[in-house]
Amino acid sequence: MYPPPPPAPHRDFISVTLSLGESYDNSKSRRRRSCWRKWKQLSRLQRNVILFLLAFLVLCAFLYYTHLTNRWKALGGSPTEGERLRVEMPGPKPANPPVLPAPRKADASPEGMVTMLLQKSRKHIRRGPPRLQIRAPDVDSKDKTQDEDKEQVAAPRDTHQEETPQRTVISWRGAVIEPEQGTEHPSRRAAAPSMPSVPAARMQKDLGPPNARQKGVIEAFLHAWKGYRKFSWGHDELKPVSRSFSEWFGLGLTLIDALDTMWILGLRKEFEEARKWVSAKLNFEKDVDVNLFESTIRILGGLLSTYHLSGDSLFLRKAEDFGNRLMPAFSTPSKIPYSDVNIGTGVAHPPRWTSDSTVAEVTSIQLEFRELSRLTGVKKFQEAVENVTRHIHSLSGKKDGLVPMFINTHSGLFTHLGVFTLGARADSYYEYLLKQWIQGGKTDTQLLDDYLAAIQGIRAHLLRRSEPRKLAFVGELAHGRFSAKMDHLVCFLPGTLALGVHHGLPTEHMELALALMETCYQMNHQMETGLSPEIAHFNTVSQPNLKDVIVKPADRHNLLRPETVESLFYLYRVTGDRKYQDWGWEILQSFNKYTRVRSGGYSSINNVQSTHKPEPRDKMESFFLGETLKYLYLLFSDDRDLLSLDRYVFNTEAHPLPIWSPA
C-alpha cells in the first residue's frame, strides 16, 4: 500500500490585479462615473422631468433679476419711503388763521366747528404751505413721528376685496372715447423760489353750522361714501348697483379725490379714516400705467390741496413722490409729454393707436406741477410744464386764439388741423390759461393775452343762438363747417368767464357768462329727469314745435358731471344772485331722485329723458365726490370767504390751490 500524499503547503498572500494607466484618487472619478451611471439608468421620462425643472428655475431667476434691474433704473437710487417720511417738511408751518375750520362730525355741535389751532413755526429744509392751513384734525404727535412706518388702518371690511378688478377703458373726464385711426432721477434740490406766500386768511369766528341745503349736500356725500366704504374701499371707483368696484389706476382714486371735500364739509371721522389709508396703504411703487392728465388733476391735485387745507405734511410727501414718478412722461423729442406713464418702471408712451397727445391733457397740468415746485423747491416740475406752455404759445395752426385738439409728441406740432371745440380734448386748455395767470399773481401777460385772444375767437367762430328761445351756445368748427353741438363739458365756460371778471377782466365777459349759464341750466331743466345729457345739439332753424335743445339717443347719458354746478358756484360768488343757488338745489334733488342707489352711492344713468327707466350705468365717477358735491356745498354757503376767490384757484378737478402773491 502506498502512503497518502502530503498536504498542500499553506500560502499566505493576496492576489491583486493592477490596470496600467489608472490610479485610485479617493474614489472621486469613480463617484462621477457612478453618478453618470445612475443618470443613464433613469428612464427617459424621469430625465426629461428633471431637465424641465432645472430650466424653469433658471428662467425664474433670470426674470427676477431683470425685474429688480428695471426697478433700480426707475427709482434711480431715490430715498426710500421710510427715509423720506422721517424728514421734516420744509417751509413756514401754518401759523395764522386759516380759511377753513377743522373737520367735524356730520352731527357735531356748532361749537365744535370753530375750534382752530395755530401751529407753531418749526425749523425747515424746504418751503412749506403759504400759511393757509390749520393743524390736521386730532392727529397725535405719535402719528406725526411714526407716520407710515407704524400706523395701522382701521379699514372697513369689504366682501368684494377679492374680486377681480375691472379695468376702465380710456376716457376723457369719465367719458368713453373710441380710439381714432390714424426715467429721470430726482433732480438736485433747487433753491426755494422767491415767490412770497399768500396773506393769511381771515379767522372765521362767527362761522355757524351748515344751512339746510348744505346739510343736504353732506347727507348726499355720506350716502355716496357709505357705498364706497362698504363695497370698494381702497379701489378706484364704486359700482353701486352691483355693489362692487372698478379699477383704473389701482390707487384709491375716489378716496384721494374726496379728501379735501371731506375736510371742507367738516366730516372729521371720515377724513381721519381716509388719512390712515393714505398713510399705510397708498403705495406708488407698482407696475401700472396712469394717464398723465387724469392722475395729475385728481391724485397730485388732491394731495396738494389736502396738504394746504389740513397742514398735514403726509400729503405733501405723497405728492412729491407721485410727481417724481410722472416726470418720465416729458422725455420726448419735443418735450410735449406722452399721455401715459408707468409709475413703477418709469416707462412713458403715447396711446396705442397714435403718437399724439390731446392739447387739453398737456396744457392742464400746469397748476399742479407749478405748485409742487413752489412747495418743494425742486425746479424740474415747473420747468417741464412751463416749457409746454411756451411751446404751445409759439405754434402756428391756431385760429384767432383757438387751438386744435391734438399735438404730436415727436414733432411738437398740432395735428388734425382745422378742428376747433371747447368740448372734450380742448376744454381745460382755455381754463388753465386764465387760472395760471391768477395763480401766479397776474404777472404773466403772455397767459393773459392768449386767454383774451381765445375768448375773442370763441365769439367770432363758435358762438351762436338757438331757436326759438335764442339761447347762446358754443358749437364746434371743423374745416370751416359749423356744428351746433355742445358738450356738457363746455359748461365750465360761464364760471371761467365770471372768474376772469372777478379778477378785473372786461365786463363784456360777464354778459357772455350770464347768457351761457342760462343755456347750461336749460340743458338740465328741459330734460325729463332735470339732468343734462352728455352732449346737446341746438336747433338753429325757426320751425314750429321744435325745442332749442335736441338730444340724440347716443348722447342722452349723464355721468354725474360737475360743470354746470361749478359755473353756478362762480356766478353766485360774483353776482350774489340767489337764483343760481335755487338752480343748484334743483340739480341736487334730481341727482337724489334718479341716480341715488339705495345700498349706497350714486350711479351715472343712460337716459336723462326717461323718468321711469333712467337705466343706471353702475358707475360712480370719482369726480362726483371730488367736484360735484364740493361745488354744491360751496354754492349753498352764505360765506363768500369760504375758499375765497381772492386767495384760492381751483384746478380742473375742483381742488383749491393758493394764489401766489405778486413778487
Side-chain angles (χ1 to χ4, degrees):
M1 295 181 64
Y2 295 100
H10 181 72
R11 294 179 181 147
D12 292 326
F13 64 87
I14 298 175
S15 177
V16 176
T17 301
L18 297 177
S19 298
L20 295 177
E22 295 187 6
S23 63
Y24 184 75
D25 58 354
N26 198 24
S27 75
K28 289 183 180 180
S29 61
R30 290 177 179 269
R31 285 202 299 268
R32 287 196 293 269
R33 288 198 299 272
S34 176
C35 291
W36 175 251
R37 187 178 298 113
K38 290 180 180 179
W39 171 257
K40 297 294 289 186
Q41 289 173 350
L42 294 176
S43 69
R44 180 174 297 177
L45 176 62
Q46 290 172 323
R47 292 198 299 266
N48 289 340
V49 169
I50 293 173
L51 290 173
F52 174 79
L53 291 176
L54 289 174
F56 178 75
L57 291 175
V58 171
L59 178 62
C60 289
F62 175 75
L63 293 176
Y64 182 70
Y65 175 78
T66 304
H67 175 70
L68 287 180
T69 303
N70 288 338
R71 291 183 62 183
W72 292 335
K73 290 179 180 179
L75 298 178
S78 59
T80 64
E81 181 70 8
E83 293 171 344
R84 298 167 86 189
L85 295 180
R86 281 184 280 272
V87 179
E88 184 182 4
M89 294 313 296
K93 294 296 186 282
N96 290 289
V99 158
L100 298 176
R104 64 185 184 285
K105 295 181 180 179
D107 56 351
S109 61
E111 290 79 3
M113 299 174 57
V114 295
T115 303
M116 298 183 180
L117 299 176
L118 302 181
Q119 290 190 332
K120 298 178 180 179
S121 59
R122 302 174 184 174
K123 295 181 180 180
H124 58 277
I125 304 170
R126 291 174 290 170
R127 192 177 179 89
R131 303 187 298 171
L132 292 173
Q133 62 283 69
I134 61 177
R135 184 168 301 180
D138 297 342
V139 177
D140 295 337
S141 59
K142 181 179 180 180
D143 291 338
K144 288 288 187 179
T145 56
Q146 294 178 344
D147 274 329
E148 299 167 10
D149 295 330
K150 300 181 180 179
E151 194 165 341
Q152 300 297 322
V153 178
R157 295 180 181 178
D158 184 1
T159 58
H160 296 268
Q161 291 293 323
E162 302 302 323
E163 295 184 13
T164 302
Q166 301 182 13
R167 306 295 297 185
T168 306
V169 298
I170 295 173
S171 68
W172 175 261
R173 312 285 346 257
V176 175
I177 293 179
E178 296 297 330
E180 293 195 3
Q181 301 302 324
T183 309
E184 179 182 10
H185 294 294
S187 70
R188 62 184 180 277
R189 299 234 175 254
S194 59
M195 302 174 219
S197 298
V198 70
R202 176 181 64 84
M203 171 72 81
Q204 298 185 18
K205 297 181 179 179
D206 301 325
L207 184 64
N211 57 42
R213 289 180 173 180
Q214 286 180 305
K215 288 180 180 178
V217 177
I218 293 174
E219 192 279 331
F221 183 95
L222 290 174
H223 181 77
W225 191 251
K226 179 181 74 172
Y228 176 77
R229 184 180 184 273
K230 186 175 182 180
F231 304 120
S232 60
W233 180 257
H235 295 283
D236 282 344
E237 292 167 328
L238 169 66
K239 300 181 71 176
V241 178
S242 59
R243 303 182 183 185
S244 60
F245 60 87
S246 63
E247 213 76 292
W248 190 0
F249 306 143
L251 298 174
L253 203 58
T254 294
L255 187 149
I256 298 175
D257 227 357
L259 283 169
D260 57 1
T261 304
M262 288 184 280
W263 184 281
I264 293 167
L265 270 58
L267 301 177
R268 171 176 174 171
K269 176 183 176 182
E270 290 74 15
F271 179 87
E272 280 298 323
E273 186 176 46
R275 182 203 179 273
K276 290 179 180 178
W277 183 90
V278 171
S279 175
K281 297 294 185 181
L282 181 59
N283 178 20
F284 298 129
E285 291 187 18
K286 55 195 310 182
D287 184 5
V288 62
D289 284 357
V290 301
N291 178 272
L292 174 66
F293 165 71
E294 294 287 359
S295 62
T296 295
I297 65 173
R298 302 191 197 207
I299 298 176
L300 184 57
L303 292 171
L304 290 173
S305 171
T306 306
Y307 168 60
H308 279 294
L309 298 179
S310 70
D312 191 338
S313 61
L314 163 69
F315 301 107
L316 180 56
R317 290 192 296 268
K318 292 289 186 181
E320 185 178 7
D321 181 18
F322 191 63
N324 275 312
R325 295 173 185 274
L326 295 179
M327 287 303 294
F330 295 89
S331 299
T332 68
S334 66
K335 303 305 180 184
I336 298 296
Y338 288 127
S339 63
D340 299 277
V341 59
N342 188 301
I343 58 174
T345 65
V347 176
H349 58 86
R352 292 185 300 273
W353 61 89
T354 180
S355 60
D356 293 347
S357 291
T358 67
V359 171
E361 285 185 341
V362 304
T363 58
S364 304
I365 55 179
Q366 278 72 7
L367 292 180
E368 299 83 359
F369 275 84
R370 283 161 36 124
E371 180 61 13
L372 184 59
S373 276
R374 196 190 70 84
L375 291 174
T376 64
V378 180
K379 293 182 178 181
K380 64 177 181 179
F381 304 116
Q382 182 170 355
E383 290 174 348
V385 294
E386 290 190 344
N387 284 339
V388 175
T389 301
R390 287 190 293 269
H391 182 81
I392 298 291
H393 172 78
S394 65
L395 282 181
S396 60
K398 301 177 185 177
K399 187 178 182 68
D400 296 334
L402 303 177
V403 295
M405 293 189 294
F406 297 96
I407 186 169
N408 188 272
T409 54
H410 296 295
S411 67
L413 301 177
F414 289 132
T415 61
H416 301 78
L417 299 178
V419 180
F420 304 99
T421 177
L422 262 73
R425 301 175 174 172
D427 51 351
S428 47
Y429 161 76
Y430 304 99
E431 175 188 358
Y432 267 40
L433 287 176
L434 175 68
K435 289 184 174 180
Q436 286 182 81
W437 176 69
I438 295 172
Q439 179 193 45
K442 308 177 189 177
T443 59
D444 192 332
T445 57
Q446 176 180 296
L447 292 167
L448 178 60
D449 291 343
D450 286 351
Y451 174 75
L452 293 175
I455 300 305
Q456 289 302 112
I458 293 169
R459 286 181 175 276
H461 304 291
L462 304 182
L463 185 64
R464 298 288 191 279
R465 294 275 180 174
S466 69
E467 295 291 342
R469 298 187 58 175
K470 306 295 184 183
L471 298 177
F473 69 94
V474 176
E476 298 180 352
L477 192 66
H479 309 293
R481 183 175 180 180
F482 181 80
S483 172
K485 167 183 173 288
M486 178 171 163
D487 294 358
H488 180 265
L489 288 168
V490 182
C491 286
F492 84 92
L493 185 57
T496 299
L497 290 167
L499 177 64
V501 173
H502 176 78
H503 284 279
L505 297 190
T507 55
E508 63 184 25
H509 288 193
M510 180 56 73
E511 297 172 4
L512 180 57
L514 295 173
L516 291 174
M517 188 74 262
E518 172 70 25
T519 302
C520 290
Y521 169 67
Q522 291 298 329
M523 288 171 62
N524 289 267
H525 184 67
Q526 292 188 20
M527 299 300 110
E528 285 76 359
T529 60
L531 297 173
S532 172
E534 180 72 1
I535 299 172
H537 290 77
F538 287 84
N539 175 39
T540 57
V541 180
S542 180
Q543 294 182 5
N545 302 323
L546 282 181
K547 292 184 178 180
D548 293 77
V549 182
I550 303 170
V551 183
K552 297 182 178 180
D555 303 330
R556 59 189 184 186
H557 52 285
N558 181 283
L559 302 181
L560 312 176
R561 287 200 184 277
E563 283 76 20
T564 295
V565 296
E566 172 187 358
S567 285
L568 289 173
F569 159 69
Y570 283 112
L571 267 292
Y572 175 67
R573 279 288 179 95
V574 175
T575 68
D577 191 337
R578 292 192 177 273
K579 76 175 181 182
Y580 299 119
Q581 290 183 319
D582 296 337
W583 291 356
W585 183 248
E586 289 179 22
I587 293 173
L588 178 60
Q589 296 301 96
S590 294
F591 280 135
N592 280 326
K593 189 172 183 179
Y594 298 107
T595 71
R596 187 178 175 114
V597 179
R598 181 175 300 178
S599 60
Y602 290 74
S603 173
S604 52
I605 58 176
N606 273 326
N607 190 355
V608 297
Q609 294 180 306
S610 174
T611 58
H612 301 294
K613 292 184 178 180
E615 300 177 16
R617 296 163 64 98
D618 195 19
K619 186 175 183 181
M620 185 176 77
E621 299 280 355
S622 74
F623 53 64
F624 182 66
L625 300 184
E627 296 187 74
T628 306
L629 294 182
K630 182 188 298 170
Y631 278 129
L632 283 168
Y633 184 85
L634 295 173
L635 167 65
F636 299 145
S637 174
D638 296 321
D639 187 350
R640 296 192 181 186
D641 283 339
L642 179 62
L643 293 175
S644 167
L645 298 182
D646 294 318
R647 296 188 175 96
Y648 287 94
V649 60
F650 291 82
N651 84 338
T652 196
E653 191 74 8
H655 296 305
L657 299 173
I659 296 173
W660 308 342
S661 296

